[in-house]
Amino acid sequence: MGNLKDVDDEAEFSNGIADLHIDGSRGHTEAEAGDDDEEAENLLVGLGFVQPVEDSEKWKVERQHFPSKVGGCPAWLDPINIPTGEQSTCGICDSPLEFLLQVYAPIDDIDDAFHRSLFVFVCPNASCLEQDRHHQSKKPEENPRRCVKVFRSQLLRKNSYYSYTPPSGEDDLPISEGAALCTWCGIWKGHKACAACKQTKYCSRSHQVEHWRGSHAVYCRQVQAARKEGKMDVNIPVCSPGPVSDKLWPEMELVVDEEDNYEVDELSDPNANVPASDKTKSKAQLLLEDYERRREAGEEFTAADLEDVHEASQDMQLWAAFLAKIGKAPDQVLRYCRSPAAKPLWLSLNGQPENSGIPSCSHCGSRRIFEFQVLPQLLNFLDFKDEANSLDWGTIAVYTCERSCGEGVGKGYAEEFAWVQPPPE
Amino acid sequence: MAERGGERGGFGRGFGRGDRGDRGGRGDRGRGDRRGGRRGAKRDEEEKWVPVTKLGRLVKDGKIKSLEQIYLFSLPIKEHQIVEFFLGSALKDEVMKIMPVQKQTRAGQRTRFKAFVVVGDNNGHVGLGVKCSKEVATAIRGAIILAKLSVIPVRRGYWGNKIGKPHTVPCKVTGKCGSVTVRLVPAPRGSGIVAARVPKKVLQFAGIEDVFTSSRGSTKTLGNFVKATFECLLKTYGFLTPDLWRETRFSKSPFQEFTDFLAKPHKISVVEDVEKTPVY
């Protein structure tokens, strides 16, 4: 099945009247969306899926286990030189950014990148994301103010934070302590402290205020009272080490699997030695059989009948190709393919960067290449209380320094580039 | 789970991969050996839907009451599961034709297959999709998706007495595409669909049992009968017929409380009281 013997000598359907929708798209005019499959055959795509973490397994997402995860707080790779100041805040509304996900993505050929992680932060404000759209296409000289930021950190195998040998289990800890983090968000450095109790650390005034309104006011007064009396009462509850915020996104592990493992079996599967019962046949196969039956009974439509039925617009085809691709594993939330030849799976024609729109590495000047993209499916798992007003994206494509240079990482974290394609119209 | 990746001394590989040349650690899926892929396993066509659009997420969460609400505000439906969520997955698909198409290249001829698929629930929804691909199965799957994305609502009515279910178009409607005009006219029960082959198929799948059609114009130059037919069908909901002559009320858009969505211009195609729309 699948070999149609009656190949009529039909000339290629030359596009005529239907092409009222062709935009001046970038490089998509000749190849159909499906043609990309041919070019991409050499590239191995890794798919990311979320997996909830049991309480008993929370150790798995701690930094000494080099996790990939979504939500909760970041498991900083370099626990000391964490991004601060402007890097940690939304360029548009100035509030501290929230942690979206991190990907552990070492590079074999680069010793410096034996351990390598990328961290993605976003501002939870949907209106900031709208404005970010204008900023992301600005050149670096124009000082774009972004609300989606990506940081890269990498370490040699031999480093001062982790053991040379891999951790074996639950009880393994990193070999050194990290910097103190904000009690409220557990993300950024806690270099400010509560003036009253002097014990609780914060990354920003806004978080201090939120914690104060939450539980800290009570605790703080208790501490102050105890101090006055000259004793630290045993009964005073220790302020929880944080993060205390209830606004963090649900913490989940991010597991990887290869896209190849999800290929839909084609019509003729040589491995399928199963009897032809309807259940094991693919939908396409069943439809084709049904078609053949009707054709034999003489009910076919002619080419002339179908002359009027034109292919959909380029934009629609691109969207359909996106759906087809992710349809193989609909719950994927991330697509990883680090290669100069790799292209993100776009959702629509608009909202793609220009060829020159990806800035070079700000630290070493080499070009940036595509590494991975965050898909909109992730939004299903973030548990928004107010879905209609919440964040929405088509995809977030992350581009990183081709050399994965050490220049920016010397100070801890190198900022990389994220391009956000808005949701399709 | 055995620790692989000898050159990494037991450390996991995480997401590291790219060119197929890097396939050294193929067996190592990092932590969370979550699934062994689905090769050979039963293809689950009715997989759980994971929405990719905001409207999809709202629908799945049950925040949108009906499909009509979405149509009323002309919100683009980019996921076919949204339609099926309300219809109860009744969309059937059918391959109309597989057509081999050949292109001359310097290396010879390149044959691809063009699949034409019609989808419909025989109850007011129909769509048509075309996809060309070098493999038949890919073309079919692609055409199904495109057909489902092109689904439009079709309103049906009666020719005469309102006995039984609606079976024809509610009134005469005309649709135009370029220089081609198509007119659908209500027909009495038993007339059948009097139309050319492809429009007939579309009307059948939409659930129209009887209708007269007339058309004028030429397909060869500018214009398209099939598209014009679709334009007609779209108009069946755009018509305020006597049975809808009651007080119309602007109802609240699903997103009206939320200014971000309001900021985007929405076409209002039909103004009617959604709750009182006659349910056929």
Side-chain angles (χ1 to χ4, degrees):
Chain A
M1 187 65 73
N3 285 325
L4 294 175
K5 297 288 179 187
D6 311 318
V7 174
D8 309 314
D9 233 33
E10 301 184 59
E12 165 123 65
F13 213 61
S14 64
N15 291 321
I17 36 179
D19 295 327
L20 309 163
H21 300 288
I22 302 268
D23 311 311
S25 49
R26 302 166 201 81
H28 282 271
T29 42
E30 258 127 42
E32 277 188 16
D35 275 354
D36 285 340
D37 280 346
E38 301 177 33
E39 298 164 25
E41 263 157 26
N42 287 330
L43 298 173
L44 201 55
V45 175
L47 302 179
F49 301 90
V50 289
Q51 196 165 284
V53 197
E54 307 279 323
D55 280 339
S56 55
E57 302 200 314
K58 291 271 179 188
W59 54 269
K60 283 189 184 172
V61 291
E62 284 173 10
R63 59 187 173 88
Q64 67 274 20
H65 293 277
F66 308 102
S68 296
K69 62 189 280 232
V70 168
C73 7
W76 292 112
L77 183 63
D78 173 342
I80 306 291
N81 304 302
I82 293 162
T84 51
E86 274 191 358
Q87 286 185 320
S88 63
T89 55
C90 169
I92 292 151
C93 72
D94 281 331
S95 23
L97 293 170
E98 288 192 12
F99 172 65
L100 184 63
L101 58 84
Q102 69 185 80
V103 168
Y104 180 65
I107 301 177
D108 283 342
D109 304 329
I110 304 176
D111 286 341
D112 276 356
F114 183 86
H115 293 301
R116 179 174 175 276
S117 289
L118 294 154
F119 299 80
V120 181
F121 297 88
V122 299
C123 180
N125 228 317
S127 52
C128 288
L129 195 55
E130 296 248 340
Q131 294 195 48
D132 181 78
R133 241 181 262 180
H134 308 296
H135 288 275
Q136 68 184 359
S137 39
K138 286 192 180 161
K139 303 229 181 305
E141 312 81 84
E142 300 172 73
N143 273 331
R145 283 150 24 108
R146 303 295 312 274
C147 72
V148 177
K149 297 189 185 169
V150 182
F151 298 102
R152 166 172 58 89
S153 174
Q154 56 197 44
L155 298 168
L156 291 161
R157 183 170 176 174
K158 192 163 170 54
N159 60 75
S160 49
Y161 307 121
Y162 306 104
S163 162
Y164 191 79
T165 53
S168 50
E170 196 165 344
D171 302 319
D172 276 320
L173 296 170
I175 57 181
S176 63
E177 263 195 42
L181 300 174
C182 171
T183 310
W184 179 252
C185 66
I187 301 175
W188 307 107
K189 264 189 179 167
H191 43 237
K192 297 184 172 30
C194 171
C197 66
K198 295 185 181 39
Q199 288 177 326
T200 330
K201 303 220 169 66
Y202 299 105
C203 65
S204 59
R205 173 135 178 79
S206 52
H207 285 186
Q208 180 191 10
V209 168
E210 293 212 52
H211 192 204
W212 184 261
R213 288 205 196 116
S215 55
H216 189 63
V218 174
Y219 169 80
C220 197
R221 288 194 191 107
Q222 285 180 330
V223 170
Q224 284 176 273
R227 278 216 191 103
K228 273 212 188 111
E229 294 180 31
K231 62 176 181 198
M232 284 298 282
D233 197 331
V234 196
N235 290 334
I236 296 178
V238 177
C239 182
S240 32
V244 182
S245 168
D246 53 353
K247 297 213 185 102
L248 297 175
W249 282 317
E251 185 174 51
M252 294 167 281
E253 210 184 335
L254 193 58
V255 295
V256 63
D257 206 351
E258 282 170 25
E259 188 168 47
D260 288 352
N261 294 343
Y262 294 87
E263 283 304 317
V264 180
D265 285 355
E266 293 305 328
L267 289 175
S268 52
D269 184 357
N271 298 325
N273 291 324
V274 289
S277 70
D278 276 1
K279 279 200 178 155
T280 56
K281 285 193 195 147
S282 73
K283 174 77 158 285
Q285 195 167 4
L286 290 168
L287 286 174
L288 189 66
E289 283 174 9
D290 184 51
Y291 167 68
E292 289 289 320
R293 248 175 270 134
R294 278 179 281 121
R295 207 163 142 243
E296 268 147 46
E299 295 170 24
E300 211 195 7
F301 292 92
T302 65
D305 289 334
L306 292 162
E307 242 175 8
D308 271 358
V309 186
H310 293 277
E311 291 188 348
S313 66
Q314 290 270 345
D315 198 52
M316 189 62 104
Q317 288 197 53
L318 194 64
W319 174 242
F322 170 82
L323 291 177
K325 241 315 130 82
I326 59 132
K328 296 176 188 174
D331 53 342
Q332 61 189 267
V333 297
L334 191 130
R335 293 179 68 86
Y336 186 97
C337 187
R338 185 173 189 276
S339 163
K343 280 182 278 197
L345 185 66
W346 298 115
L347 280 70
S348 58
L349 287 177
N350 74 314
Q352 292 187 27
E354 311 275 331
N355 283 333
S356 55
I358 309 296
S360 314
C361 176
S362 42
H363 312 281
C364 73
S366 7
R367 70 173 170 167
R368 283 203 173 104
I369 57 172
F370 174 70
E371 180 152 359
F372 68 87
Q373 67 186 113
V374 184
L375 297 169
Q377 288 92 312
L378 183 60
L379 293 160
N380 288 287
F381 300 99
L382 296 183
D383 232 5
F384 292 120
K385 287 188 208 92
D386 176 12
E387 171 70 54
N389 262 346
S390 59
L391 285 182
D392 195 15
W393 60 71
T395 188
I396 303 177
V398 174
Y399 296 82
T400 58
C401 173
E402 189 172 12
R403 292 176 49 231
S404 199
C405 67
E407 276 84 314
V409 183
K411 291 168 241 146
Y413 286 79
E415 198 169 335
E416 297 283 18
F417 182 76
W419 178 273
V420 182
Q421 179 177 46
E425 299 293 305
Chain B
M1 180 180 60
E3 289 283 353
R4 304 218 206 161
E7 62 272 28
R8 284 186 57 80
F11 282 99
R13 182 169 293 278
F15 274 78
R17 77 231 311 112
D19 295 320
R20 278 175 194 275
D22 296 359
R23 269 223 203 167
R26 197 188 203 277
D28 179 355
R29 292 200 200 99
R31 179 192 317 294
D33 202 290
R34 86 182 289 260
R35 338 183 204 187
R38 276 196 281 263
R39 257 192 213 291
K42 177 195 167 186
R43 261 160 263 92
D44 194 351
E45 297 289 344
E46 294 105 21
E47 279 187 34
K48 228 172 88 133
W49 172 36
V50 184
V52 290
T53 58
K54 180 169 281 200
L55 183 61
R57 290 190 289 278
L58 286 168
V59 164
K60 188 157 183 234
D61 269 348
K63 303 260 170 57
I64 311 278
K65 274 181 288 179
S66 69
L67 198 50
E68 282 71 28
Q69 262 193 312
I70 302 175
Y71 286 137
L72 182 66
F73 291 93
S74 300
L75 297 167
I77 299 182
K78 304 229 65 156
E79 299 183 77
H80 65 90
Q81 295 96 328
I82 291 174
V83 175
E84 288 174 336
F85 182 87
F86 293 106
L87 298 182
S89 345
L91 279 178
K92 305 270 180 299
D93 24 42
E94 188 177 290
V95 170
M96 289 171 67
K97 189 171 179 72
I98 308 283
M99 207 161 76
V101 180
Q102 283 172 357
K103 181 175 174 172
Q104 268 306 104
T105 64
R106 267 171 298 172
Q109 287 190 327
R110 181 177 78 156
T111 304
R112 288 157 63 139
F113 299 98
K114 195 160 183 165
F116 296 80
V117 168
V118 59
V119 305
D121 64 347
N122 210 45
N123 196 18
H125 294 88
V126 65
L128 199 50
V130 185
K131 176 77 187 154
C132 199
S133 181
K134 60 178 170 46
E135 281 167 42
V136 177
T138 319
I140 291 178
R141 272 199 300 274
I144 292 175
I145 292 181
L146 283 159
K148 288 185 174 178
L149 288 177
S150 72
V151 161
I152 59 165
V154 174
R155 184 156 157 246
R156 289 150 306 148
Y158 298 93
W159 172 82
N161 294 323
K162 293 187 174 50
I163 304 171
K165 291 235 167 266
H167 61 105
T168 186
V169 284
C171 55
K172 292 178 190 168
V173 280
T174 309
K176 204 170 152 82
C177 176
S179 65
V180 165
T181 315
V182 167
R183 192 162 173 243
L184 297 179
V185 174
R189 266 190 218 281
S191 311
I193 300 175
V194 183
R197 277 190 233 162
V198 174
K200 177 171 179 170
K201 191 65 154 179
V202 168
L203 292 161
Q204 268 172 348
F205 265 68
I208 290 181
E209 295 165 28
D210 312 287
V211 71
F212 297 134
T213 65
S214 74
S215 48
R216 44 177 304 179
S218 151
T219 46
K220 300 294 187 268
T221 48
L222 304 151
N224 188 318
F225 281 115
V226 174
K227 222 167 154 116
T229 308
F230 266 89
E231 290 297 309
C232 284
L233 292 176
L234 276 172
K235 285 196 174 170
T236 57
Y237 264 113
F239 230 98
L240 201 59
T241 49
D243 50 309
L244 295 176
W245 285 354
R246 49 194 106 194
E247 214 181 285
T248 56
R249 249 196 328 223
F250 284 95
S251 68
K252 234 179 176 188
S253 157
F255 307 116
Q256 194 164 347
E257 296 110 76
F258 312 115
T259 49
D260 281 343
F261 255 77
L262 258 193
K264 300 198 182 114
H266 285 310
K267 267 192 342 246
I268 308 263
S269 59
V270 176
V271 172
E272 56 182 286
D273 185 346
V274 176
E275 280 76 50
K276 296 212 183 112
T277 302
V279 176
Y280 286 130

